[in-house]
Amino acid sequence: MRNPFVMECGNYKTAYSKDMALFSVPRMKIQILVLVLFFLLLPLFASSYVVGLLTLCAIASIGAIGLNILTGYTGQISIGVGAFLGVGGYTSAILTSTLGLSFWLALPLAGIATAIVGGLFGIPSLRLKGLYLAIATLAAQVIILFVISRWDSLTGGTAGMVLSRPSVGGFSFSSTMSYYYLCIVILILTAMYALNLVRTRTGRAFLAVRDRDVAAEIMGINLFKYKVMSFAISSFFVGIAGALLAHYTMIVSPELYSTHVSIEYLAMILVGGLGSVLGSILGAMFITLLPVALNYLINFLTVYMPDLYQLFSALSEFVFGGVIILFLIFEPGGLAHIWTNIKNYFRLWPFSH
Amino acid sequence: MTFFFQMLVTGIVVGSIYGLVALGFVLIYRASDALNLANGEFVLIGAYVCVTLVTAYKLPFIAALLITLVFSAFLGLAVERIVLRPLLNAPVISVIMATIGLSSLLAGAAHMIWGHQRKAFPQVFPSQPIEIGGIIVTPVYLWSFVIVIALLIIFSLFFKFSKIGIAMRAVADDQQAALSMGISVKAVYAITWAIASVVASVGGILLGNINGVSSTMAIIGLTVLPVVILGGLDSILGAIIGGFIIGILQSLAGGYLDPLVGGGLKEVAPFIVIILILMIKPHGLFGKGGIERV
């Protein structure tokens, strides 16, 4: 019987164009199609709770892919994603709730607004590197949240704003299932964009900046342009994710976009794998579902240890930190690398070399 | 005018605690090029251990202090050995993320052990405020000011003259050269983490004496970041001066500007300042920018 996991058994490429191809083997196209079909058909037999969780995963994946463009592709650390999600969410809230604009216009506008804010805070990146840049983005986080919670007339201050689910024609995306489809479609578009980005001139410039920005500049890459651009592109997707999240939870308020959210997103791309689109999605699912899984575990264990429930919030914090550290020490490549290892294992099976 | 001077003095004494916590950041950065974002949790755990020893085990304050310092030293050693050593030579983002993970881990552990309630220190310092020319200062603040200045002098001398201090400077300067001169880089890292953890817990005990100990205390780790960046990540003097500058700035912003915008500016002002400072001097006021070669 043919091994169903085999994708390719050697390098038979004869042209550079083949090396650059998105799908290295025709069968990959079918496999991805099957995977996408699986996620499209899932809501038909899954409970609405599961679909809701998957919607959150999909939204987080969009944001994580955005952050990965900045941190994984271009090598710039940002601890400000939480606030950028907030910018996206609030822009959409103001445009739809206050100004009565259609969601379909507000969504791209939220992305563009976040891209502008992100690009603005990306300007210091030309002179700042590593730790200093990380702190500058943290400062961005604090300042943006301060503005949001103080600009009462525009944002409703600490009370936040209420949003409604989008609709097209007479059809409203109010059900969990329909909103899930919306998010999945946007996720697929985002993933396609990010996958194709590395194949373009811009994407390669990003990678060059990541690997050694001084060398990249000597080679004629305009550092300022590409650094700000990566901030803007990344923030665009983060803003889209923020808007989608806001319309899903139907409320925006400053405490939803705390520094902890930024850290969660960083954890997603680290656990998933830096510079990998598949990794972003896996990491987003992992970090989103981790507290849910812990909750199940606690519910199961409280039968034997009743006072465990009070410890839950502390425990999830503890496990979250532990998971990050374990991944960094034992699998810096993240889930994407684990997946590659599994594939390689089966590719060579039953011979280990 | 008295109001201004009161704000100024408050800023200076608060700034001295900032400087103390910032010192922990700088020590670690100098030795291992890592920013310890779990510093706030070191502060918190130090304070909790000390307050528990004093209240639950009825130890005298000095004994509790000494035990806490020993405990913190071991905590620092353990963290370095378990988390940081496997990440030697890892990219910056891994180290940042590791310390973020560590802070989450330690915060979770602290919550599990001590819960969320605020614990008050029994009276250690006299509570009667001292009044000098209309300006009121609490003795705790004065004590922390004295301790910070003392630590600054001790650390300057330590780095200049002691064997370990010189080894630390050598490692900070060039790891490979230090190694080839027979300095054990691993030992230096371990000692640095122990010292930084001890310094953080001294800060925690002082802060605990002022406000009581509770889980919100770990926020000082984030509040102090602007201080470290302002002074420059690798300058001890910068950390202390940065502490005073940010302390005064916060105090003045809180006194004069907060009533205008409705509060909260006190926490944000330092971050606005560091963005501006970083645009002009990307390595802070006293930090050294390295030459980069391809």
Side-chain angles (χ1 to χ4, degrees), chain B residues 19-207:
Chain B
L20 194 62
V21 180
L23 200 60
F25 277 107
V26 172
L27 287 175
I28 295 205
Y29 183 78
R30 276 172 70 109
S32 50
D33 272 346
L35 190 63
N36 177 21
L37 289 173
N39 207 2
E41 274 68 26
F42 281 128
V43 172
L44 177 74
I45 289 178
Y48 262 132
V49 170
C50 190
V51 85
T52 312
L53 287 174
V54 172
T55 53
Y57 294 95
K58 307 283 180 225
L59 284 172
F61 179 70
I62 296 295
L65 177 72
L66 290 177
I67 295 174
T68 310
L69 295 189
V70 172
F71 173 82
S72 317
F74 277 107
L75 181 69
L77 287 179
V79 162
E80 194 275 335
R81 184 71 195 84
I82 297 166
V83 180
L84 271 298
R85 192 166 299 175
L87 294 176
L88 273 183
N89 297 325
V92 184
I93 181 164
S94 304
V95 183
I96 292 186
M97 237 10 235
T99 59
I100 288 177
L102 184 66
S103 85
S104 182
L105 187 90
L106 291 178
H111 290 177
M112 276 192 252
I113 300 170
W114 289 290
H116 287 274
Q117 263 101 34
R118 181 177 292 272
K119 287 188 169 61
F121 262 99
Q123 205 71 51
V124 178
F125 301 102
S127 65
Q128 189 61 42
I130 303 163
E131 202 182 319
I132 312 159
I135 298 158
I136 298 160
V137 190
T138 328
V140 184
Y141 281 118
L142 272 185
W143 269 103
S144 50
F145 185 75
V146 172
I147 291 174
V148 168
I149 298 298
L151 279 177
L152 171 66
I153 296 168
I154 291 172
F155 275 114
S156 307
L157 294 177
F158 175 75
F159 275 109
K160 202 146 209 161
F161 298 113
S162 82
K163 222 168 176 182
I164 301 171
I166 295 168
M168 280 172 157
R169 267 162 55 207
V171 170
D173 205 42
D174 189 336
Q175 275 184 33
Q176 278 195 344
L179 260 177
S180 55
M181 297 306 288
I183 292 169
S184 164
V185 175
K186 282 179 185 168
V188 167
Y189 278 4
I191 292 168
T192 317
W193 273 86
I195 293 177
S197 167
V198 167
V199 170
S201 68
V202 171
I205 292 165
L206 287 173
L207 269 177

Side-chain angles (χ1 to χ4, degrees), chain A residues 189-353:
Chain A
L189 293 177
T190 311
M192 291 299 284
Y193 177 84
L195 281 173
N196 280 309
L197 182 66
V198 253
R199 301 163 69 212
T200 63
R201 187 183 177 84
T202 314
R204 275 171 303 175
F206 284 174
L207 298 185
V209 170
R210 172 189 72 187
D211 290 340
R212 202 92 170 98
D213 56 351
V214 180
E217 193 171 22
I218 292 167
M219 280 159 59
I221 289 170
N222 185 344
L223 271 194
F224 183 71
K225 178 179 154 195
Y226 283 107
K227 279 185 170 179
V228 172
M229 201 175 181
S230 81
F231 261 96
I233 292 177
S234 150
S235 303
F236 178 82
F237 289 112
V238 173
I240 295 276
L244 283 175
L245 187 67
H247 284 279
Y248 179 69
T249 55
M250 297 201 274
I251 188 161
V252 284
S253 88
E255 64 263 33
L256 295 174
Y257 305 111
S258 63
T259 315
H260 185 73
V261 179
S262 305
I263 290 171
E264 270 184 342
Y265 271 85
L266 267 180
M268 282 174 199
I269 61 167
L270 256 163
V271 167
L274 285 175
S276 151
V277 173
L278 175 72
S280 314
I281 298 173
L282 291 177
M285 288 180 82
F286 185 89
I287 296 290
T288 314
L289 298 180
L290 182 67
V292 180
L294 269 180
N295 207 358
Y296 270 109
L297 185 73
I298 296 265
N299 277 338
F300 176 71
L301 287 179
T302 33
V303 180
Y304 310 101
M305 287 171 272
D307 53 341
L308 207 62
Y309 209 82
Q310 269 115 45
L311 290 177
F312 172 65
S313 68
L315 188 73
S316 70
E317 221 176 349
F318 185 83
V319 172
F320 176 72
V323 162
I324 293 175
I325 293 176
L326 290 178
F327 261 100
L328 282 169
I329 294 176
F330 295 109
E331 188 55 271
L335 290 167
H337 191 229
I338 293 178
W339 173 238
T340 320
N341 281 348
I342 294 173
K343 270 199 313 201
N344 281 339
Y345 177 81
F346 282 107
R347 187 177 298 167
L348 299 168
W349 192 83
F351 308 107
S352 56
H353 293 289

